Amino acid sequence: MLHDPLQLVLPEDHRCADRTHVPLEELRDDDWIGAADPRDPCDRLLSWACAQHSFEPVHTLRTDDYAVVQVFVAAGEGVALIPRLALGPPREDVAVRQLEGAPLAREISVAVLRTTAARSIRELVEALTEQARLIQRRWSDADAGLA
């Protein structure tokens, strides 16, 4: 399983861009860029987190392309949460920050039917598990300033 934290992406000139951690309640009046499907798990997590602060995020744009999300954010059309794994190298004209408090994240895992006994499936699951470990280690090293 991979714990994939959601990163706050702001226009570089956003009033909160100079902070490392941004309180969610300070984004109450911002426009949000979300997934094309409002039932997207990341959007649902954002809605839940905002409800803890007594507001609902207003989505002004929706797309399923995270590169396009960064373009809209850079253009000042809103702010967004992007999973770290999907962020890729961020654009130079956006600020990537953490939300203050407990991190919001998605969990990525693999499921296999118990009746599946093929050796290739076991090997695939092992390879995916190893890649998840490598990604998590790389993120830990980067967060500690080692990478």
Side-chain angles (χ1 to χ4, degrees), residues 84-106:
R84 188 170 184 175
L85 191 61
L87 185 62
R91 294 172 53 103
E92 291 183 15
D93 51 359
V94 299
V96 179
R97 302 293 182 255
Q98 303 294 319
L99 286 175
E100 194 173 86
L104 301 178
R106 65 181 182 170

Side-chain angles (χ1 to χ4, degrees), residues 10-88:
L10 307 163
E12 65 182 344
D13 62 350
H14 190 277
R15 68 188 178 284
C16 296
D18 61 342
R19 301 178 183 182
T20 56
H21 291 80
V22 178
L24 184 58
E25 58 270 18
E26 289 197 27
L27 303 170
R28 159 187 315 270
D29 297 323
D30 284 80
D31 293 331
W32 289 85
I33 301 165
D37 183 350
R39 296 169 301 183
D40 175 85
C42 294
D43 275 5
R44 291 175 47 205
L45 189 54
L46 172 63
S47 291
W48 173 85
C50 291
Q52 305 308 302
H53 297 283
S54 303
F55 76 97
E56 185 174 327
V58 176
H59 289 87
T60 56
L61 293 166
R62 293 188 172 277
T63 179
D64 282 331
D65 187 325
Y66 289 117
V68 171
V69 169
Q70 288 192 54
V71 171
F72 284 137
V73 169
E77 296 299 323
V79 300
L81 287 181
I82 297 179
R84 188 170 184 175
L85 191 61
L87 185 62

